[in-house]
């Protein structure tokens, strides 16, 4: 039963129209948008959520969009106080706090997809690693030799280190706290695969790949683009890489989320020639 149906006796028709259709569940935390006009119904909304999701301990109201370099939105609790929780994903466990570091359940399918592509003994670089879901899912589901993850937000990096220990992948996953612009150039050797879930302007980080991916190696390049440009994306991405002196072939373009009305997140799988 939808939230609207659960609340149809508590909110009037106009108020029901303002109610968002969906909410996000992260471990035992629910994140929901509640417009100011129906904020006086917060308790009814919480009760409706709790009636369906008995494990929920905290309900956070999202105020404004995910923004800033760290990609963290602002939240205010409307039920409970605890903002740290444990999320299960593909047999891994992640300690997260959405008020301090980015984590989205929506990319979990993507993480599994990438992990299934990894060959035995690969050396992998994950830029913008957040609390570590890409490196850790890859380490657990595949058999890489090494996965290096880089993250700038100190809170996210701290959770990343904790999650590496929690999932017992210390031998495989190495955490670097810092800016990819500074860390990547100092990393020795070439990688078999680079994952780039960039938070914004992915094209501005392509130059970092020079000399870092072996010939025949793979890049998973995440970018945002307008829906109308979808057909040209393949060509546009090839051109961006060429402009940076990197010759690549596009293996796949896949839509993997919605960012704003008519703006989607895409992943482009590339092979370096
Ligand atoms: C869209 S989130 C992706 C996080 C993670 N890969 C995931 O799937 O949950 C992007 C992350 O990049 C980090 N970040 C932003 N700019 C960065 C930079 N210049 N160097 C390293 N990390 C950066 C942010 O703090 C944020 O955690």
């Amino acid at each position: 039963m939808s939230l609207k149906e659960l609340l149809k006796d508590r909110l009037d028709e106009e108020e029901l129209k303002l109610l968002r259709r969906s909410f996000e569940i992260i471990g035992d935390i629910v994140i929901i948008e509640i417009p100011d006009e129906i904020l006086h119904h917060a308790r009814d909304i919480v009760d409706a959520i709790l009636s369906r999701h008995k494990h929920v301990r905290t309900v956070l109201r999202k105020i404004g969009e995910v923004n800033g370099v760290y990609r963290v939105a602002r939240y205010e609790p409307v039920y409970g106080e605890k903002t740290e929780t444990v999320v299960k994903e593909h047999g891994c466990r992640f300690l997260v706090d959405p008020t301090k570091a980015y984590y989205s359940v929506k990319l979990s399918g993507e993480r599994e997809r990438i992990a299934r592509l990894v060959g035995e003994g690969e050396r992998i670089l994950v830029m913008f690693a957040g609390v570590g879901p890409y490196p850790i899912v890859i380490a657990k589901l595949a058999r890489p030799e090494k996965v290096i993850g880089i993250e700038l937000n100190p809170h996210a990096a701290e959770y990343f280190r904790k999650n590496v220990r929690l999932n017992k992948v210390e031998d495989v996953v190495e955490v670097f706290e810092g800016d990819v612009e500074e860390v990547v150039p100092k990393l020795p050797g070439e990688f078999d695969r680079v994952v780039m879930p960039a938070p914004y302007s992915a094209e501005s980080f392509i130059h970092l790949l020079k000399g870092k991916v072996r010939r025949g190696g793979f890049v998973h390049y995440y970018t945002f683009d307008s829906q109308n440009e979808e057909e040209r994306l393949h060509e546009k991405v090839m051109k961006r890489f060429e402009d940076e002196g990197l010759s690549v072939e596009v293996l796949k373009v896949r839509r993997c989320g919605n960012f704003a009305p008519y703006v989607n997140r895409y992943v482009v799988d590339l092979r370096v020639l």
Side-chain angles (χ1 to χ4, degrees), residues 8-273:
K8 68 177 185 322
D9 297 331
R10 313 288 300 177
L11 275 66
D12 66 33
E13 224 166 274
E14 286 309 305
E15 290 173 333
L16 282 172
K17 279 189 198 150
L18 293 167
L19 195 64
R20 295 289 183 271
R21 209 174 279 273
S22 61
F23 50 84
E24 193 171 5
I25 306 180
I26 300 182
D28 58 14
I29 297 176
V30 160
I31 292 175
I32 185 166
E33 287 179 44
I34 308 177
D36 287 341
E37 298 88 327
I38 53 169
L39 192 54
H40 58 287
H41 281 299
R43 188 66 229 190
D44 293 322
I45 296 170
V46 166
D47 287 345
I49 293 171
L50 295 179
S51 72
R52 294 280 140 168
H53 303 279
K54 304 225 182 303
H55 73 292
V56 168
R57 291 281 146 83
T58 306
V59 178
L60 298 176
R61 177 188 180 213
K62 190 171 170 192
I63 322 170
E65 283 311 310
V66 166
N67 70 41
V69 175
Y70 296 162
R71 312 309 294 151
V72 177
R74 282 178 50 230
Y75 302 95
E76 69 180 20
V78 288
Y79 173 73
E81 282 170 10
K82 203 171 62 73
T83 55
E84 190 178 86
T85 186
V86 176
V87 193
K88 289 189 185 141
E89 186 184 311
H90 311 301
C92 306
R93 284 185 305 150
F94 300 120
L95 198 56
V96 301
D97 182 336
T99 68
K100 294 191 178 140
Y102 180 95
Y103 173 83
S104 174
V105 178
K106 289 175 195 150
L107 284 172
S108 81
E110 248 312 282
R111 295 190 267 268
E112 186 189 8
R113 184 185 76 87
I114 304 286
R116 303 276 179 217
L117 296 172
V118 170
E120 186 164 351
E122 283 192 13
R123 282 191 77 235
I124 300 171
L125 170 61
V126 178
M127 299 191 204
F128 318 101
V131 302
Y134 273 97
I136 294 168
V137 169
I138 291 171
K140 279 281 193 187
L141 299 190
R143 300 190 63 194
E145 181 195 294
K146 182 104 227 121
V147 188
I148 287 179
I150 308 172
E151 171 55 44
L152 182 64
N153 173 358
H155 293 297
E158 186 54 31
Y159 277 115
F160 187 3
R161 286 187 284 266
K162 285 184 183 169
N163 288 330
V164 167
R165 291 194 292 273
L166 191 63
N167 291 280
K168 301 187 171 54
V169 288
E170 299 96 319
D171 293 350
V172 179
V173 179
E174 199 173 337
V175 180
F176 283 76
E177 180 178 334
D179 189 331
V180 291
E181 293 280 357
E182 280 161 33
V183 178
V184 176
K186 292 183 194 146
L187 296 174
E190 290 185 327
F191 293 89
D192 298 295
R193 189 179 299 274
V194 179
V195 185
M196 294 178 74
Y200 47 85
S201 58
E203 62 277 9
S204 63
F205 300 103
I206 296 173
H207 71 101
L208 293 171
L209 294 168
K210 262 186 276 176
K212 296 295 169 192
V213 195
R214 71 160 169 86
R215 208 174 249 204
F218 302 94
V219 177
H220 304 286
Y221 175 80
Y222 293 81
T223 185
F224 299 98
D225 212 337
S226 135
Q227 205 163 287
N228 312 329
E229 293 286 300
E230 197 169 313
E231 280 177 16
R232 289 190 51 230
L233 191 60
H234 176 134
E235 202 185 301
K236 269 178 21 186
V237 171
M238 290 258 294
K239 168 101 177 54
R240 282 179 199 150
F241 275 73
E242 263 166 32
D243 290 348
E244 293 293 347
L246 282 150
S247 181
V248 291
E249 111 180 86
V250 173
L251 302 176
K252 188 179 211 163
V253 177
R254 183 173 173 260
R255 190 185 144 189
C256 60
N258 173 262
F259 180 68
Y262 308 108
V263 180
N264 295 324
R265 180 194 277 118
Y266 296 92
V267 58
V268 184
D269 292 351
L270 302 150
R271 189 182 357 237
V272 174
L273 301 173

